[in-house]
Amino acid sequence: MNNSAINVDQLNSALNSLRVLRSSVSHVFETLSNGLRADHGEDGKDKFLLELQELLNNVNINLRDLEQTVNGLPIPTAPFNLGTTSFLSHETTQDRQALYTQLVNSYKWTDKIHEYSSFAHTLLSQNSLKRSYINSGSTKRRGKLQSNHNVAPLQVDNVINNIDRSYSDMKITISRPFASNAVVQINLSHVLKAVVAFKGLLMEWVMVKGYGESLDLWSESRHFVFRKVTENAHAAMLHFYSPTLPELAVRSFMTWLHSYVNLFSEPCKRCSCHLHHTSLLPPAWRDFRTLEPFHDECKQ
């Protein structure tokens, strides 16, 4: 009991030394924040420095006293007895521990997800529609699907030549500068030129330029209207993309591209103007279904 009393007294002494040190440090910062005062007089700067030096000396003395007091404290051989404070970590009151509420909400959410997924599985298993080429429940072996990226060049030529014969004002030329993949050059009347790169029967790249420009796959047109048509052609290429019906996709795209034969002659269906009043461009957009011309600003 005597040792315990001595330890408590030493601990109180150390705490008092710490409190004095903190008070002296606070006094230093308070003096620095106040700066020169009126009571410093004419030699205010020198008096202020002397006052600050005295305060720092007090801090040094208090720090030395605290170190001596702390060094005199015995090292505890066992953990301190925290008493009833050890039960603070076991607090499970809902309004004091936010984690408990989050865990309850997570449990309810997970339980609902499990319930809804069970209902969805029951409904989907009763659906008799087969929308996939893969039927895991069927014992029949389906034929291997043909890849439209690897098509004989003769088949590609036949498809494109049939399209070429369908239009008298659109000339289509086939070349193969990159092995067996076709590059199709299109001359649409005296309006525009286009080049389409194929991978088998699937279109992969489109570039549209003016009728008097040199045609290649990568450089854009110097005219803004044909750069806009190129953007729309990429959108059309993605719109008509069909890996299961590639011939229909190519024919639909060529039909859409042929609608630009009246690029500079037919007005916009929305505003009935040839040139838009802000962009000063002709209707460079063609509807995918009706092929009607619209300005980009009028198509919404």
Side-chain angles (χ1 to χ4, degrees):
M1 295 296 294
N2 189 19
N3 291 335
S4 300
I6 293 175
N7 291 338
V8 171
D9 292 339
Q10 291 178 344
L11 184 60
N12 288 332
S13 177
L15 292 176
N16 289 330
S17 300
L18 178 61
R19 185 173 63 254
V20 172
L21 176 62
R22 294 184 62 179
S23 177
S24 60
V25 172
S26 299
H27 196 188
V28 171
F29 285 105
E30 182 180 358
T31 303
L32 287 173
S33 62
N34 293 331
L36 295 176
R37 299 189 303 273
D39 56 354
H40 287 148
E42 295 180 356
D43 299 332
K45 184 176 181 181
D46 295 336
K47 291 182 179 180
F48 177 74
L49 292 177
L50 290 175
E51 181 181 357
L52 184 61
Q53 185 177 3
E54 183 179 357
L55 293 175
L56 292 175
N57 290 333
N58 291 334
V59 171
N60 193 17
I61 294 172
N62 294 332
L63 179 61
R64 191 180 301 112
D65 293 341
L66 177 62
E67 290 178 349
Q68 293 177 357
T69 306
V70 171
N71 290 332
L73 291 175
I75 299 176
T77 57
F80 288 104
N81 184 13
L82 300 178
T84 57
T85 58
S86 60
F87 294 101
L88 290 175
S89 60
H90 299 285
E91 179 61 52
T92 57
T93 306
Q94 185 173 355
D95 57 347
R96 294 186 181 181
Q97 190 174 9
L99 182 61
Y100 178 76
T101 305
Q102 296 176 2
L103 290 175
V104 171
N105 292 334
S106 299
Y107 176 79
K108 292 180 179 179
W109 181 81
T110 306
D111 191 43
K112 288 183 179 180
I113 289 294
H114 180 72
E115 182 181 1
Y116 293 158
S117 61
S118 300
F119 291 155
H121 178 267
T122 303
L123 294 175
L124 292 175
S125 61
Q126 296 174 356
N127 187 7
S128 60
L129 297 178
K130 305 300 180 183
R131 298 177 179 268
S132 174
Y133 290 105
I134 301 175
N135 185 6
S136 58
S138 176
T139 57
K140 296 181 180 180
R141 185 179 299 274
R142 290 184 176 270
K144 189 175 181 180
L145 295 177
Q146 181 182 2
S147 173
N148 294 304
H149 288 89
N150 188 15
V151 180
L154 182 60
Q155 182 179 353
V156 178
D157 293 349
N158 291 333
V159 172
I160 296 176
N161 289 330
N162 289 333
I163 297 174
D164 184 29
R165 287 191 291 267
S166 302
Y167 302 101
S168 59
D169 52 357
M170 186 169 69
K171 180 177 177 56
I172 301 177
T173 306
I174 305 173
S175 62
R176 287 185 169 81
F178 310 112
S180 60
N181 294 323
V183 176
V184 175
Q185 297 184 11
I186 304 170
N187 291 337
L188 181 58
S189 186
H190 291 279
V191 179
L192 57 82
K193 294 180 180 180
V195 58
V196 183
F198 282 81
K199 179 70 173 179
L201 269 176
L202 299 180
M203 296 175 291
E204 290 195 335
W205 187 256
V206 183
M207 182 64 65
V208 180
K209 291 188 176 183
Y211 185 77
E213 294 183 280
S214 59
L215 195 61
D216 62 88
L217 274 173
W218 311 117
S219 61
E220 293 183 338
S221 173
R222 66 176 182 268
H223 304 292
F224 185 77
V225 60
F226 293 112
R227 293 201 297 269
K228 182 63 67 174
V229 174
T230 300
E231 294 178 4
N232 297 335
H234 284 138
M237 178 181 65
L238 297 175
H239 175 78
F240 294 118
Y241 173 78
S242 176
T244 57
L245 298 172
E247 296 183 12
L248 178 61
V250 175
R251 183 174 294 275
S252 300
F253 176 81
M254 293 299 179
T255 303
W256 177 87
L257 185 63
H258 179 264
S259 64
Y260 280 93
V261 70
N262 55 7
L263 174 62
F264 299 106
S265 59
E266 189 170 353
C268 174
K269 290 296 182 181
R270 177 66 60 85
C271 64
S272 300
C273 296
H274 287 84
L275 299 180
H276 194 265
H277 63 280
T278 57
S279 63
L280 300 180
L281 291 177
W285 173 263
R286 295 296 184 272
D287 187 85
F288 293 139
R289 291 185 300 174
T290 63
L291 304 180
E292 293 179 341
F294 292 93
H295 296 112
D296 279 0
E297 296 82 0
C298 299
K299 66 181 181 180
Q300 287 83 7

